[in-house]
Amino acid sequence: LRLFQLNNIIVEKAEMTNIVWFIRDGLIAVLTENKALNNHPLNSILGYFTSNLGYESLFTLRWHSVVIGVLAIAAAMRIARDWFGRRAELVTGLLITFSAYHIPLSQRARSYVSLVGFTLLGFHLGYRAVQTGQKRYWLGFVLVGVLNIYAHLYGIIAVGVLGILMAVLLWQKETAPSLQIKLGQFWPLAVSLSLTYLLALGLYLPMWHDTASVAGQNNIFRQSDLRHAAQRSLWEQISYPVYETIRPFSLAQDDTRLRLDDPTFEYGPLDNIAILAENRVGFYFALFTCLMGIITAWQKLRTRSLIIIAWLILPFVMQGIGSMVLPGAYFRGRFLAFVYAPYLLLSAIAWPGLAEMLSSQSKFSPQLRRIGPTVAFAGLAFLLFLNLSWLYTYYTAAIQEHWPDISAFINQNRLPNDLIICGQRPQTACVFDMATRTHTTVEELEDFITFEKLRATRTTLEQPGRVWVVLPHLTPKQAAALQEQLPTGHRWLTGNPDYVQMGWWLSDTRPTLADNLITALKFNATLSLNQEERFRNEIGLAKIYLIRQQLSDAEAALQAARQSAPHTPAAQTALAGVEEQLAYSRGIVQTPIPLPPSAVQIKRNYGDLARLTAYEITPTRLGP
């Protein structure tokens, strides 16, 4: 499941930054740089070496995440068996094997899955060290802890949580009345934790400047997080990290991968079930399962359930302390991925535990003994069914989208001054995936069609060049329009015959890159899915015309944009900006400048970014 379609799964923004900023920059960058905390060093090292053994592909950049993800399954099953028995071991294996959270995590060129895997493995080794006192387990605890932190900085919290849990287990194990004897049992743990943090610090020393500046809040994230925190009530500040961490475990609102919320688009026959898995149904059902696991564990194994519950809660406490020390501390739910470990274990004992609870009440109602196993089986089956349905849609999308094929075709045929843009549906993986696979810049239409970007690239735009328009997530109507309106050779569509999902077309009939971009925007406006996307293309046309001082064309494009503009603040702001620029441009062209006959015109260009038009005047007298 984790290897399936590994090369076809879309590339996300975080993956792209890790690959482009570090792995492709060479071993020195991997070991010494940590721009915006986007270098997950262990992931980068493994990805770098395997990609340089032969050739780079998404498979060679992601394989280690698959391996760590599978090791996590083994560790989770072993912990479940030691703590809750063989039945819990089987259920744990089923849940994590078919987890629609853990599988995508195991397919990213990032280290989030390492937080899960190394935390589970660290807990197992630490527990064995406490039980046996053998040095080899303490050594394993140290090595896995170092890997956890070197995989991701939030491993610092994961190792700290495990240290607290091991301390509790050591305290419970020693029954001697002497406090001195009890405290003596903590030396192996204290030494192990000290070694873990010191070794991890040593590995981060070569990149300490980048790491310390960002971790110390000298970064763009601090202002954003402080602003958002100021808008939340005290309860919201407490609940926000919990919700953002727990939510992905049940797929709720995970719309960055699949566009299930878009009624104009479809993947396959299980879309509606996948929507249930991704919306509040999936979230609340999975949350109910975890809470039920807490109840059943408390009734049956109170001491061990306390350890698991503490394991679940402590990361949030430590994150809260960190936020108090560094107000506005940078937090993202995926950084606490290791919370999934206790969440999984509690979910695994929930439904079997409910069956036992119902059976134990048979003296009040004999029917409960028969109903209990049925209810437990149905709940567990429904949980697995939600996960498998989402995964079916997830893999259907990977098969239909054909990102490797599109990227390979463009790579083979693009010219140096060609422009690649994503023509529709903003906030998709189009830019990140295409940029990674083509080793070049790919532009999101909305980001590229800005006055700043157009001015900066004006010289390039006026040179010969073609425009590749990539159209992710086509509707059947759009696919038909492409086939009807574009001449043969200008389009290439892929997907199954009944529903063509992906496409691109090449604008190459005009003399300059700007001309071809205008052609592309005009066609995209007619092909648009909705009013908002039509507006994006028409306002883009107005901006290009303004940059080229084609004021009549700019006025016509602006008028079309006014008619299609959605009633949103962003659209109104965009309109106002273009209207202001148009008025300014007309003023420059029409305003007469009275000058004496002796005036000599001077023109200066500054790096193709600014042009100064001036007049040198020999004064006969001083004047205003």
Side-chain angles (χ1 to χ4, degrees):
L1 282 172
R2 284 153 179 78
L3 286 172
F4 183 57
Q5 297 294 317
L6 188 61
N7 206 53
N8 294 342
I9 299 297
I10 58 171
V11 178
E12 295 183 336
K13 183 178 182 179
E15 282 187 288
M16 181 194 73
T17 56
N18 204 78
I19 294 167
V20 174
W21 291 354
F22 307 108
I23 295 175
R24 287 181 182 166
D25 249 14
L27 190 58
I28 300 300
V30 166
L31 296 174
T32 64
E33 297 178 12
N34 201 1
K35 179 182 175 182
L37 287 188
N38 265 295
N39 186 9
H40 295 183
L42 182 63
N43 164 82
S44 298
I45 289 173
L46 295 171
Y48 171 80
F49 280 117
T50 54
S51 295
N52 282 272
L53 286 175
Y55 67 96
E56 180 196 287
S57 70
L58 266 297
F59 189 97
T60 62
L61 291 165
R62 289 168 164 170
W63 73 271
H64 51 277
S65 293
V66 174
V67 174
I68 295 170
V70 174
L71 287 174
I73 298 175
M77 293 178 69
R78 182 58 188 268
I79 294 170
R81 187 179 76 188
D82 290 344
W83 280 62
F84 302 116
R86 291 193 174 275
R87 181 178 61 187
E89 177 189 20
L90 174 62
V91 177
T92 299
L94 282 171
L95 290 181
I96 189 172
T97 295
F98 300 111
S99 169
Y101 168 75
H102 193 261
I103 289 175
L105 213 65
S106 304
Q107 296 174 322
R108 296 188 199 179
R110 297 285 277 180
S111 285
Y112 307 130
V113 73
S114 300
L115 286 170
V116 179
F118 291 140
T119 301
L120 281 164
L121 190 56
F123 183 89
H124 168 67
L125 292 170
Y127 176 66
R128 293 293 297 159
V130 169
Q131 294 299 307
T132 65
Q134 295 182 19
K135 292 180 181 179
R136 59 178 179 145
Y137 287 117
W138 284 119
L139 178 61
F141 181 78
V142 170
L143 293 177
V144 170
V146 172
L147 290 175
N148 205 346
I149 297 173
Y150 199 53
H152 196 291
L153 269 175
Y154 263 60
I156 294 171
I157 298 180
V159 172
V161 169
L162 292 182
I164 295 173
L165 298 180
M166 294 308 113
V168 173
L169 290 171
L170 281 168
W171 184 268
Q172 287 182 331
K173 180 188 176 187
E174 182 54 59
T175 57
S178 169
L179 181 62
Q180 184 176 1
I181 295 176
K182 275 182 171 285
L183 293 177
Q185 299 296 317
F186 287 89
W187 277 110
L189 175 61
V191 171
S192 297
L193 287 175
S194 301
L195 277 175
T196 299
Y197 285 118
L198 284 172
L199 290 171
L201 176 64
L203 291 173
Y204 273 102
L205 277 179
M207 61 182 73
W208 186 249
H209 179 268
D210 287 349
T211 304
S213 64
V214 180
Q217 302 302 290
N218 181 23
N219 62 81
I220 60 173
F221 306 116
R222 182 172 188 266
Q223 289 75 21
S224 172
D225 287 352
L226 279 172
R227 185 172 63 253
H228 292 149
Q231 299 170 353
R232 300 188 188 108
S233 64
L234 179 61
W235 167 248
E236 287 172 335
Q237 291 184 41
I238 296 172
S239 61
Y240 172 76
V242 177
Y243 177 73
E244 285 297 304
T245 302
I246 298 295
R247 176 185 61 81
F249 300 163
S250 58
L251 306 178
Q253 300 176 358
D254 186 12
D255 54 6
T256 57
R257 290 179 170 272
L258 302 177
R259 311 286 286 199
L260 292 172
D261 57 339
D262 190 337
T264 64
F265 187 66
E266 61 184 69
Y267 296 95
L270 296 183
D271 286 3
N272 290 333
I273 308 298
I275 291 173
L276 290 179
E278 198 168 274
N279 66 18
R280 293 184 179 274
V281 172
F283 172 60
Y284 286 122
F285 188 78
L287 188 61
F288 171 77
T289 298
C290 180
L291 293 175
M292 193 163 57
I294 294 175
I295 294 171
T296 55
W298 181 262
Q299 289 189 341
K300 186 178 180 183
L301 298 164
R302 185 157 299 185
T303 302
R304 291 186 174 182
S305 67
L306 279 174
I307 298 291
I308 300 296
I309 294 169
W311 192 0
L312 186 68
I313 295 173
L314 276 172
F316 300 108
V317 175
M318 296 183 74
Q319 170 69 34
I321 294 172
S323 298
M324 292 172 63
V325 175
L326 293 171
Y330 181 34
F331 168 78
R332 296 294 180 271
R334 60 184 178 271
F335 292 175
L336 294 185
F338 54 89
V339 177
Y340 179 69
Y343 183 94
L344 169 71
L345 293 170
L346 289 170
S347 299
I349 62 175
W351 291 103
L354 178 63
E356 290 185 4
M357 287 174 58
L358 293 175
S359 298
S360 66
Q361 303 299 321
S362 58
K363 59 183 178 181
F364 301 106
S365 175
Q367 294 180 347
L368 289 177
R369 181 181 291 276
R370 295 190 296 272
I371 293 175
T374 303
V375 171
F377 179 80
L380 187 60
F382 184 64
L383 194 62
L384 289 171
F385 180 61
L386 286 177
N387 280 266
L388 288 169
S389 298
W390 190 91
L391 287 170
Y392 178 89
T393 302
Y394 170 72
Y395 283 123
T396 300
I399 293 169
Q400 289 181 349
E401 286 171 344
H402 288 268
W403 289 110
D405 298 337
I406 295 175
S407 301
F409 187 89
I410 291 177
N411 263 341
Q412 292 167 6
N413 295 279
R414 67 184 172 91
L415 301 177
N417 200 39
D418 284 1
L419 174 66
I420 307 173
I421 63 171
C422 292
Q424 66 169 0
R425 298 183 191 260
Q427 304 304 315
T428 68
C430 178
V431 169
F432 319 131
D433 191 282
M434 292 288 293
T436 303
R437 295 182 195 267
T438 60
H439 292 249
T440 190
T441 301
V442 177
E443 300 284 359
E444 182 82 64
L445 180 62
E446 211 159 31
D447 294 334
F448 185 75
I449 306 295
T450 64
F451 283 121
E452 294 78 8
K453 201 73 170 275
L454 291 172
R455 287 190 184 106
T457 58
R458 182 161 47 191
T459 302
T460 302
L461 286 170
E462 295 305 331
Q463 295 174 0
R466 307 177 301 173
V467 178
W468 298 83
V469 183
V470 182
L471 300 169
H473 308 310
L474 290 173
T475 64
K477 183 178 179 181
Q478 287 181 304
L482 274 175
Q483 292 171 332
E484 291 173 3
Q485 298 179 41
L486 288 177
T488 304
H490 283 241
R491 71 174 188 279
W492 179 76
L493 303 173
T494 185
N496 66 63
D498 297 328
Y499 181 68
V500 182
Q501 181 176 337
M502 299 295 293
W504 61 259
W505 69 284
L506 176 63
S507 178
D508 62 350
T509 57
R510 307 296 296 277
T512 69
L513 182 59
D515 291 323
N516 280 316
L517 184 56
I518 288 171
T519 301
L521 289 172
K522 286 180 178 178
F523 182 76
N524 278 2
T526 63
L527 194 70
S528 293
L529 289 167
N530 49 46
Q531 181 182 2
E532 182 179 353
E533 294 200 1
R534 184 181 183 88
F535 171 76
R536 290 170 62 228
N537 286 278
E538 288 170 343
I539 202 73
L541 270 173
K543 291 177 182 179
I544 294 179
Y545 285 136
L546 275 172
I547 291 295
R548 304 182 88 190
Q549 289 295 308
Q550 296 174 237
L551 302 187
S552 298
D553 292 329
E555 176 61 43
L558 181 60
Q559 183 59 34
R562 287 193 192 103
Q563 295 174 359
S564 63
H567 299 290
T568 62
Q572 299 308 312
T573 300
L575 276 176
V578 175
E579 288 168 351
E580 182 180 353
Q581 186 73 26
L582 179 61
Y584 178 70
S585 298
R586 286 193 182 283
I588 289 176
V589 172
Q590 295 174 1
T591 302
I593 305 174
L595 293 168
S598 59
V600 178
Q601 190 177 36
I602 301 170
K603 289 186 178 181
R604 300 270 173 85
N605 288 322
Y606 297 88
D608 294 326
L609 297 179
R611 183 177 75 247
L612 171 65
T613 299
Y615 293 86
E616 183 177 344
I617 302 173
T618 304
T620 55
R621 64 182 178 83
L622 292 179

